[in-house]
Amino acid sequence: MRFFLGTHQPNWLALTTAPLFVSDRRLRGRRSLPDARGSWALDSGGFTELQQYGSWDHGPSPRQYGDRVRRYRDEIGGLVWAAPQDWMCEPIVISGGTAGPVTFAGTGLSVAEHQRRTVVNFLELRHIAPDLPFVPVLQGYTLPEYLTCIDRYHDAGVDLAAEPTVGIGSVCRREATTEAAEIIHAVCDRLPGIRLHGFGIKTSGLGAYGSLLASSDSMAWSAAARRSPRLPGCTHTTCANCPKWAFRWRERVLASLGGHATRTHPKKRAQVSRKLDTPHDIRLRLSAFRDEAARIERDTTIRWAHRDGDLSVRAIAARTGLSPARIGQILADTPTQPLREQVHALRTRWEVDVDPASRAAADHIVAHLTTDDLMTPTS
């Protein structure tokens, strides 16, 4: 799992190659921007926006937000993806109230309306800026609500299983991590192969479902540092903004992730162990491998058709049945690994080599994918 260290100090982007998570609210007022040394993801600042105002009316319009994200991508570099202007669904965000020293205005809307606005904003951003890496976000509060949100994206023509990243929101403040674990397990069951990003996931929650996430972020280190003694040699009042404290905390999180990588949700451990490597399980894993391999083939062909075949985005969209926004996202999301390495990673991920029959089927799929005409673009 890829872990993004949250920070409200944008200058850290120029100091480290570690993946960072930075809010638009910390970047939007800057005349000059740092040059990123590594990769990072952008938070829209939606939770703070809704907490303070109860709507996005005081925030940037989708077009203004898209312009900002393009500036960040071009001037900072290293941007992996950007969150949309989504609508969280925690009860306190909807109804308002006080949590500790923080007062929430409350939107007064329903969960269904928050979900609708989240999907609409994502579609609008993709339409306005198909070249930018905006990601869809699942919102809800109860398990059925998250599954309903999946249906909303499906009805809007968004293939979540094919997206490079799908955020899952409104789970980070659950006191009962088992509830969050059940939600994430259910989402993964509904969409096998989905690459989820958990927003602000507690380190305790990673032990229950971290192995199901492709990535997560957290800046819980800042609150912990505020309550803790300063590190030796630090002269500031607290280490709440201290990179030394933050990166030591990050090392501990990464170490814990290594211990959690193979754990199974406690309610499913017995069930999974009984079904492992049965014919149905093997077929499901092979089916997931085949689907993802087909997506890689499709996306690779689209990139070459645009680059070497000189086809426009709209022409490719007409031929594939995908939306121009989706084609733009595929073109913008250039893989860092060669095709052979991508396919090898898929084999490992779906464990298709544990059975001779599935291994032979996977070999056939890979042989088709790695033929010379697909490996080498036409001139």
Coordinates of all heavy atoms in Angstrom, one line a residue, residues 7 88 100 112 114 119 140 143 165 175 180 193 197 199 213 250 256 271 279 293 305 311 322 358 371:
T7 N 0.5 16.8 5.1 CA 1.2 18.0 5.6 C 0.5 19.3 5.2 O -0.1 19.3 4.1 CB 2.6 18.0 5.2 OG1 3.2 19.2 5.6 CG2 2.7 18.0 3.6
M88 N -18.8 15.2 2.1 CA -18.7 14.2 3.1 C -20.1 13.9 3.7 O -21.0 14.8 3.7 CB -17.7 14.6 4.3 CG -16.3 14.7 3.9 SD -16.0 16.3 3.1 CE -15.2 15.8 1.6
G100 N -15.6 18.8 20.0 CA -14.5 19.5 20.7 C -14.5 21.0 20.5 O -15.6 21.6 20.6
A112 N -28.2 11.2 0.4 CA -28.4 11.0 -1.1 C -28.1 12.2 -1.9 O -27.5 12.1 -3.0 CB -29.9 10.6 -1.3
H114 N -25.9 14.6 -0.9 CA -24.4 14.7 -0.9 C -23.8 13.8 -1.9 O -22.8 14.1 -2.6 CB -23.9 14.3 0.5 CG -24.0 15.4 1.5 ND1 -23.0 15.7 2.4 CD2 -25.0 16.4 1.7 CE1 -23.3 16.8 3.1 NE2 -24.5 17.2 2.8
V119 N -21.0 13.0 -7.2 CA -20.8 12.4 -8.5 C -20.9 13.5 -9.6 O -20.1 13.5 -10.5 CB -21.9 11.4 -8.7 CG1 -21.9 10.8 -10.2 CG2 -21.8 10.2 -7.8
G140 N -20.8 8.1 1.7 CA -21.9 7.5 2.4 C -21.6 7.5 3.9 O -20.6 8.0 4.3
L143 N -23.2 1.1 5.4 CA -22.7 0.2 4.3 C -23.6 0.3 3.1 O -23.1 0.4 2.0 CB -22.6 -1.2 4.9 CG -21.8 -2.2 4.0 CD1 -21.3 -3.4 4.9 CD2 -22.7 -2.8 2.9
T165 N -7.5 5.2 -9.4 CA -7.7 5.4 -8.0 C -9.1 5.8 -7.7 O -9.7 6.6 -8.5 CB -6.8 6.5 -7.4 OG1 -5.4 6.2 -7.7 CG2 -7.0 6.7 -5.9
E175 N -15.2 5.7 15.3 CA -14.6 5.2 16.5 C -14.5 3.7 16.4 O -13.6 3.0 17.0 CB -15.4 5.6 17.7 CG -15.3 7.1 17.9 CD -16.0 7.5 19.2 OE1 -16.5 6.7 19.9 OE2 -16.1 8.7 19.5
A180 N -15.8 0.5 9.7 CA -15.1 0.9 8.5 C -14.6 -0.3 7.7 O -14.6 -0.3 6.5 CB -14.0 1.8 8.8
G193 N -10.9 -5.9 -7.6 CA -9.8 -5.2 -8.3 C -9.8 -3.7 -8.2 O -8.9 -3.0 -8.6
H197 N -8.4 4.4 -2.3 CA -7.6 5.3 -1.4 C -8.4 5.6 -0.2 O -9.5 6.2 -0.3 CB -7.1 6.6 -2.1 CG -6.4 7.5 -1.2 ND1 -5.1 7.5 -1.0 CD2 -6.9 8.5 -0.4 CE1 -4.7 8.4 -0.2 NE2 -5.8 9.0 0.2
F199 N -9.1 8.0 2.8 CA -8.8 9.3 3.2 C -8.6 9.3 4.8 O -9.6 9.0 5.5 CB -9.9 10.3 2.8 CG -9.9 10.6 1.3 CD1 -10.8 10.1 0.5 CD2 -8.9 11.5 0.8 CE1 -10.8 10.4 -0.8 CE2 -8.9 11.8 -0.5 CZ -9.9 11.2 -1.4
L213 N -6.5 -1.7 0.7 CA -6.3 -0.4 0.1 C -5.1 -0.3 -0.8 O -4.0 -0.9 -0.5 CB -6.2 0.7 1.2 CG -7.3 0.8 2.2 CD1 -6.9 1.8 3.3 CD2 -8.6 1.3 1.5
R250 N 6.1 8.6 10.3 CA 5.9 7.9 9.0 C 6.6 6.6 9.0 O 6.1 5.6 8.5 CB 6.3 8.8 7.8 CG 6.3 8.1 6.5 CD 6.7 9.0 5.4 NE 6.7 8.3 4.1 CZ 7.8 7.7 3.6 NH1 8.9 7.6 4.3 NH2 7.7 7.1 2.4
S256 N 4.5 -0.7 10.6 CA 3.2 -1.4 11.0 C 2.5 -1.9 9.8 O 1.9 -3.0 9.8 CB 2.3 -0.4 11.8 OG 1.7 0.6 10.9
Q271 N -13.8 -18.0 6.9 CA -14.4 -18.2 5.7 C -13.4 -18.2 4.5 O -13.5 -19.1 3.6 CB -15.5 -17.1 5.4 CG -16.2 -17.2 4.1 CD -17.2 -16.0 3.9 OE1 -17.2 -15.1 4.7 NE2 -17.9 -16.0 2.8
P279 N -12.0 -24.5 -6.7 CA -12.1 -24.2 -8.1 C -12.8 -22.9 -8.4 O -12.4 -22.1 -9.2 CB -12.9 -25.4 -8.7 CG -12.6 -26.5 -7.8 CD -12.4 -25.9 -6.4
A293 N -6.1 -7.4 -17.2 CA -5.2 -7.5 -18.4 C -5.8 -6.9 -19.6 O -5.1 -6.2 -20.4 CB -4.8 -9.0 -18.6
A305 N -2.8 4.8 -30.2 CA -3.7 5.3 -31.2 C -3.7 6.8 -31.3 O -3.8 7.5 -32.3 CB -5.1 4.8 -31.1
L311 N -5.1 9.8 -33.8 CA -6.5 9.9 -33.6 C -6.8 10.9 -32.5 O -6.2 11.0 -31.5 CB -7.1 8.6 -33.3 CG -7.1 7.5 -34.4 CD1 -7.6 6.2 -33.9 CD2 -8.0 8.0 -35.6
L322 N -16.2 4.7 -24.9 CA -15.9 5.5 -23.7 C -16.2 6.9 -23.9 O -16.2 7.4 -25.0 CB -14.5 5.2 -23.3 CG -14.1 3.8 -23.0 CD1 -12.6 3.7 -22.8 CD2 -14.8 3.2 -21.9
S358 N -5.1 -22.6 -14.1 CA -5.1 -21.1 -14.2 C -3.8 -20.5 -14.7 O -3.8 -19.5 -15.4 CB -5.5 -20.5 -12.8 OG -4.5 -20.7 -11.9
T371 N 2.6 -9.7 -27.4 CA 3.1 -9.8 -28.8 C 3.8 -8.6 -29.3 O 3.6 -7.5 -28.7 CB 1.9 -10.1 -29.7 OG1 0.9 -9.1 -29.5 CG2 1.3 -11.5 -29.4

